[in-house]
Amino acid sequence: MMMISKNLADAINAQVGREFGASFQYVQIAAYFESEALDGLAKLFYKQSDEERDHAMKLAHYVVETGAQLAIPAVEAPKVTFSSAEEAIQAALNWETEVTRQINNLMDIAVAEKDYLAREFLDWFVVEQLEEVTSMEKLLRIAQRAGERNIIMLEAYLSHGGDED
Ligand code: FEO
């Protein structure tokens, strides 16, 4: 039995592509930090990339389990170059803000369709976005306070577990 509408399955498939896109983008950001010898930031963004892949897989499994067709769309190429740590972190924060909007849109569909299963499933993503946005905001604030010349301070902050969830 199909436990999902075509409409919601299409919207979730699109989100699968965006989460994989985020995973790629965070690899690029991590590589930027690694090339700047900012290993703490690199590690954080490689880990973030893994998390985005997990998000994509959670959504992909849901589409399959509810009996719809998984159809991963073309994934937009990530931004490759960054001129500062602040710019890279700002890009990540902008992304997370956008994802929050996208997840809310999925929830809007689930609510409109009275799809209680999807609402339950999407709740996890709604809560997850609070953490994703606030941790990125915090990182950006610290990067701005340190300034590009003292960005190494951010590494010290991270090495003391400052990014722990
Ligand atoms: Fe998949 Fe960072 O939200």
Side-chain angles (χ1 to χ4, degrees), residues 19 22 26 48 51-52 55 95-96 99 128-129 132:
E19 300 286 345
Y26 287 156
Q48 203 62 39
E51 276 187 25
E52 297 303 343
H55 296 170
W95 168 257
E96 293 303 339
V99 170
E128 173 75 0
Q129 280 313 119
E132 299 268 284

Side-chain angles (χ1 to χ4, degrees), residues 55-109:
H55 296 170
M57 291 307 296
K58 247 190 219 300
L59 292 161
H61 285 307
Y62 186 76
V63 170
V64 178
E65 283 164 11
T66 52
Q69 172 73 60
L70 175 66
I72 302 172
V75 174
E76 206 181 316
K79 181 173 160 56
V80 172
T81 56
F82 298 93
S83 56
S84 67
E86 186 182 332
E87 188 197 332
I89 297 167
Q90 181 72 64
L93 175 58
N94 292 350
W95 168 257
E96 293 303 339
T97 305
E98 179 61 20
V99 170
T100 301
R101 198 187 59 76
Q102 292 160 356
I103 296 294
N104 288 344
N105 282 344
L106 294 179
M107 186 61 103
D108 284 343
I109 297 172

Side-chain angles (χ1 to χ4, degrees), residues 2 6-7 49 115 120 123 129 134 162:
M2 184 108 141
K6 169 90 170 64
N7 185 33
S49 170
D115 184 337
E120 179 80 16
D123 263 339
Q129 280 313 119
T134 53

Side-chain angles (χ1 to χ4, degrees), residues 125-142:
F125 286 88
V126 172
V127 175
E128 173 75 0
Q129 280 313 119
L130 172 65
E131 188 226 300
E132 299 268 284
V133 170
T134 53
S135 67
M136 216 49 87
E137 266 174 354
K138 193 169 170 194
L139 200 61
L140 181 62
R141 272 208 311 278
I142 298 166

